[in-house]
Amino acid sequence: MQMTPSILYHSAVLFATLAMTGTAALNFLFFRKPRALVGVADSDLPMISVLVPARNEEATIEACVQSLLAMNYPNFEVIVLDDRSQDDTYDILCRLRDRDHRLRVLVGAEMPEGWYGKPHACWQLANASRGEYLLMTDADCTFTPDALLLALGAQREYKADVVSMCPDLKCEGFWEQMIIPLQYFIIFAFLPGPLIRLTPFPWFAAANGAFLFLSRETYFDVDGHRAVRRQLAEDIKFSQHVKRCGKTLWYGDGSRTYAVRMYHGLAEVWAGFSKNIFPAFSRDLPLLSVVLVFLFCTLVLPAPLAIWSWARHRPWENLALAAYLLTVAVRFGLSLRFPGAPAWAAPLLPLGWLSVIGIAINSIRQAYSKSGNTWKGRSYPKR
């Protein structure tokens, strides 16, 4: 059989999907849930400061703070910084503070030139903290009672300078359930988990800004969020910065540690990911373009090609069908691992990735527009 461009394409796609499947299988084995620290007396446990930046979070802040204050850890404080909210966030926080002395409420300073909102809020929180360890999270998260024991257990078991975990993603409606759980797919299919912990290379780095746990000493040793003060995707950039500083990073399965509903409906999904995707690639247009072409060729195109090949009775082109079925199998496996990744969305994987590609193109468009990115009522002009 002659090696035509079509055959070469199908063979390359099958090879790429086999690599994704192999990476996912590795992560199914080694992407671990943390184990809670046990056998340590309460008096020997370090003080932990839980730090929450909040801007216009009136819908979620009460549930977040209540879950934090309900944790079964003997020595912690919760500090929430109201980052100049324009809603009732501050009033809700004051009411909660009056009920529990472990909650401290700060009023954020005006954002200085050269900073973005969340890094500035996190930097203020860290400077106000009293704990030996810091847990940085987001105002739309809720936590299980063992969250701090799990974080400390992971830090000590894996001897990691920084611990981060992916959440249990709460999704409602078609588009949320279609697009948001693809974050699990990215982690499992593209990022070999053991390399995050065992290698010093910053391209093998991952973190979720909703769960960053590290010692206060480590935070200030790497210059904290001041090092990523002008980043919209500050969590990814912080994890890469940590590795460049020679620190170790452990990234694990936090689906039994905390939960978050990131966005509500397609409009928020579109706006939220548009804010992050291009900045996560350091605004490197050639790099992101290559990635988008790769995603289209390997995760979107094989399904329609398989149908077209079947209709033309070209059995050798069923390599495209094999590639499609392999990626669907990975997505289905994730639905068994994570409750926030519904199984019904697995066969529709190409539609999900086509949506992501559209959002990424919009992210590029936003970055080059005159107004730049807008988030939480703030505008970040193009650089």
Side-chain angles (χ1 to χ4, degrees), residues 9 23 26 42 45 59 70 84 90 98 135 181 210 218-219 225 251 257 263 271 300 308-309 316 339 358 365 369:
Y9 163 76
T23 302
L26 180 71
D42 287 357
L45 291 171
R84 300 180 168 249
Y90 181 72
D98 292 342
L135 172 61
T218 296
Y219 182 81
H225 280 82
Y251 189 61
T257 304
Y263 304 119
V300 175
W308 179 248
S309 300
W316 56 265
R365 182 200 63 79
S369 68

Side-chain angles (χ1 to χ4, degrees), residues 93-376:
L93 288 170
C94 290
R95 172 167 51 82
L96 294 170
R97 178 191 58 194
D98 292 342
R99 296 178 189 170
D100 196 314
H101 70 277
R102 294 172 299 171
L103 173 62
R104 296 166 57 197
V105 179
L106 306 180
V107 176
E110 184 176 353
M111 189 172 66
E113 182 70 25
W115 284 77
Y116 284 178
K118 185 177 176 182
H120 184 232
C122 290
W123 181 250
Q124 293 174 80
L125 283 160
N127 278 281
S129 66
R130 299 187 293 240
E132 181 183 345
Y133 283 84
L134 311 176
L135 172 61
M136 297 186 166
T137 187
D138 290 340
D140 53 359
C141 298
T142 56
F143 291 79
T144 63
D146 288 337
L148 292 181
L149 288 170
L150 289 164
L152 195 57
Q155 188 270 333
R156 295 194 176 179
E157 179 178 358
Y158 297 103
K159 297 179 174 59
D161 294 307
V162 179
V163 166
S164 188
M165 304 182 204
C166 67
D168 175 19
L169 294 169
K170 301 295 184 184
C171 305
E172 297 181 14
F174 179 84
W175 289 109
E176 286 181 52
Q177 294 179 327
M178 174 68 63
I179 298 172
I180 293 176
L182 292 179
Q183 294 174 87
Y184 294 137
F185 192 98
I186 292 170
I187 295 167
F188 270 65
F190 296 113
L191 192 60
L195 298 184
I196 298 174
R197 184 169 67 93
L198 299 175
T199 70
F201 306 119
W203 52 87
F204 292 119
N208 194 305
F211 201 104
L212 283 175
F213 182 79
L214 69 170
S215 71
R216 179 186 175 86
E217 179 182 2
T218 296
Y219 182 81
F220 287 105
D221 189 40
V222 301
D223 205 24
H225 280 82
R226 187 162 62 179
V228 292
R229 59 187 173 274
R230 203 174 170 90
Q231 299 289 344
L232 287 172
E234 84 293 329
D235 49 0
I236 296 171
K237 297 304 178 183
F238 185 76
S239 70
Q240 294 169 346
H241 173 69
V242 162
K243 284 207 159 188
R244 290 191 187 98
C245 291
K247 305 296 185 182
T248 56
L249 173 67
W250 183 81
Y251 189 61
D253 179 354
S255 58
R256 294 182 182 175
T257 304
Y258 75 113
V260 60
R261 185 178 179 192
M262 294 181 64
Y263 304 119
H264 295 68
L266 178 59
E268 284 193 14
V269 170
W270 187 270
F273 286 130
S274 291
K275 169 182 72 78
N276 286 331
I277 291 179
F278 195 35
F281 283 83
S282 301
R283 300 174 185 264
D284 187 331
L285 183 58
L287 175 60
L288 181 54
S289 299
V290 169
V291 170
L292 295 182
V293 170
F294 175 82
L295 292 176
F296 182 79
C297 290
T298 58
L299 294 168
V300 175
L301 203 54
L305 278 181
I307 296 171
W308 179 248
S309 300
W310 176 80
R312 292 193 305 163
H313 304 289
R314 303 283 293 273
W316 56 265
E317 291 189 350
N318 283 339
L319 293 174
L321 177 61
Y324 165 69
L325 291 176
L326 282 171
T327 55
V328 168
V330 171
R331 175 61 183 80
F332 183 76
L334 292 171
S335 72
L336 301 178
R337 176 75 177 262
F338 298 101
W344 63 260
L348 299 177
L349 188 67
L351 176 60
W353 281 110
L354 189 62
S355 304
V356 169
I357 291 170
I359 294 171
I361 293 171
N362 186 59
S363 182
I364 296 168
R365 182 200 63 79
Q366 271 188 1
Y368 285 102
S369 68
K370 290 183 179 179
S371 59
N373 295 99
T374 300
W375 189 247
K376 298 284 186 183

